[in-house]
Amino acid sequence: METVNNRTFKNWVIAVRPWSFTTSSIAVLVTIAYLFYISSNGTAGGGVDWLNAALCLPLLMILHAGGNLVSDYYDFVKGVDGPDCVNGVTWIRSGLFLPKEILHYGWALLAVGSLIGLAILMRSDFSAIWIGVLGLLLPLFYYLLKSHVLGDVDILLCFALLPGIGTCYVATGCYHPEMLLYCLPFGLHIVAILHANNTRDIVSDRKVGLNTICGKVGVRASQWIYFAEIVLPYLLVVLFCFLCGLSQWLLITFLSLPVAVRNLKAMMGKGNVENGRIMRLDQSTAQFQFLFGLLYALGFVLGGVL
């Protein structure tokens, strides 16, 4: 067993789960691509502060890292991440980090993120501070919300809707409420990552009293919810193109469909959940979400260029 005496810089980096940052980065990348799209078409209003938009990327990733650590601490102390847990978060129970170290590490990163957020607001204005406050509180109290069937809502707000509308505001001085709609495709895929994880952990979560949507509705309903979270975004993209007048280059997202079908087969197969065949579905869903999000952003860029 590792102890607190043989830690390296790499251990401190791995503890924040940097591979998960692909999830939090997509909202900002898509929003920047959308701002490029509307500025290229002359509908961005008074211009775009690209530096403010770019600063939202490290801001969100740092808040994500801090939220991961705080969640890891409470999952450990509440017994959610026990010896049988398969999510790969082992740095506390292995003895590599003390529980309080992880908690304080998380608080420190959330504080750093708050400073970056204040710097961004100083470059724009403070009327959007409510977005920053929510962006800090949602990852900080995710551990509490997820135990009361609100984890999915927290994730959708924290990693899709708020970053989308917040990045628009600090870059243009306007809220662009349409982003609440345009963020839904990749936002639902982000929720699908959590849903795949919670479907896999239905039994273990019930044992420790963790109330997730999956635990409430059961395996079969959870499978169909995952199906909807994966498929509905494609339908939304089609509606955006043909009813909202967005560039048909957004249909490039359909290049990710084979990966979506592979994940759907893994989730929807009879007995796959009970037999542990979705053990890594959260990871493959995250990879799919990143691919879809990049294609979605590329669609906006191509729409602006061409």
Side-chain angles (χ1 to χ4, degrees):
M1 178 183 292
E2 294 179 287
T3 67
V4 295
N5 296 318
N6 62 351
R7 294 172 302 191
T8 64
F9 176 75
K10 181 180 179 180
N11 296 138
W12 288 94
V13 172
I14 290 176
V16 302
R17 289 184 266 161
W19 53 85
S20 67
F21 295 165
T22 55
T23 301
S24 52
S25 62
I26 284 298
V28 178
L29 294 177
V30 168
T31 305
I32 290 175
Y34 174 72
L35 291 174
F36 172 77
Y37 172 71
I38 62 175
S39 64
S40 299
N41 288 282
T43 57
V48 178
D49 186 330
W50 296 109
L51 177 57
N52 263 6
L55 286 173
C56 290
L57 187 59
L59 166 64
L60 197 60
M61 293 169 68
I62 290 172
L63 290 178
H64 187 180
N68 281 345
L69 292 164
V70 173
S71 179
D72 290 346
Y73 168 78
Y74 284 104
D75 281 350
F76 176 78
V77 299
K78 292 178 180 295
V80 177
D81 282 345
D84 298 327
C85 186
V86 295
N87 63 8
V89 181
T90 61
W91 26 90
I92 298 180
R93 68 173 183 264
S94 69
L96 182 61
F97 287 96
L98 298 174
K100 287 292 186 180
E101 285 181 310
I102 290 294
L103 180 62
H104 296 159
Y105 187 13
W107 285 349
L109 288 177
L110 291 174
V112 171
S114 299
L115 292 176
I116 296 175
L118 287 173
I120 295 173
L121 290 175
M122 289 177 65
R123 288 181 46 83
S124 52
D125 69 71
F126 279 84
S127 62
I129 194 170
W130 65 273
I131 297 177
V133 172
L134 281 177
L136 177 64
L137 294 178
L138 287 172
L140 185 60
F141 292 104
Y142 169 72
Y143 75 94
L144 184 61
L145 292 171
K146 76 175 182 179
S147 65
H148 292 82
V149 204
L150 292 173
D152 300 64
V153 176
D154 183 298
I155 292 299
L156 182 62
L157 287 170
C158 196
F159 294 129
L161 303 185
L162 287 178
I165 198 170
T167 301
C168 276
Y169 184 84
V170 299
T172 67
C174 301
Y175 279 113
H176 290 275
E178 72 274 11
M179 278 307 295
L180 296 176
L181 185 62
Y182 298 155
C183 286
L184 282 179
F186 66 84
L188 288 173
H189 286 159
I190 292 173
V191 175
I193 301 171
L194 176 65
H195 193 76
N197 176 85
N198 290 344
T199 302
R200 179 196 66 199
D201 295 342
I202 285 177
V203 175
S204 59
D205 285 346
R206 283 174 176 169
K207 288 181 179 178
V208 297
L210 188 61
N211 295 314
T212 64
I213 290 177
C214 298
K216 291 289 187 181
V217 302
V219 170
R220 193 56 182 163
S222 294
Q223 289 175 308
W224 283 109
I225 291 173
Y226 180 86
F227 180 90
E229 290 167 343
I230 296 298
V231 173
L232 183 57
Y234 289 103
L235 301 179
L236 287 173
V237 169
V238 173
L239 291 176
F240 296 163
C241 293
F242 296 103
L243 293 183
C244 299
L246 294 183
S247 170
Q248 293 183 20
W249 279 106
L250 292 179
L251 297 176
I252 198 174
T253 53
F254 277 77
L255 291 176
S256 65
L257 196 56
V259 185
V261 171
R262 182 197 66 191
N263 289 344
L264 286 172
K265 287 181 178 178
M267 172 62 87
M268 302 304 293
K270 186 176 181 180
N272 282 4
V273 174
E274 294 85 350
N275 295 328
R277 295 181 189 136
I278 64 164
M279 194 66 67
R280 301 298 177 191
L281 185 58
D282 55 344
Q283 296 178 14
S284 57
T285 304
Q287 294 165 358
F288 160 72
Q289 178 269 333
F290 188 57
L291 172 62
F292 179 95
L294 288 179
L295 290 171
Y296 193 45
L298 179 59
F300 280 120
V301 172
L302 292 175
V305 172
L306 302 175

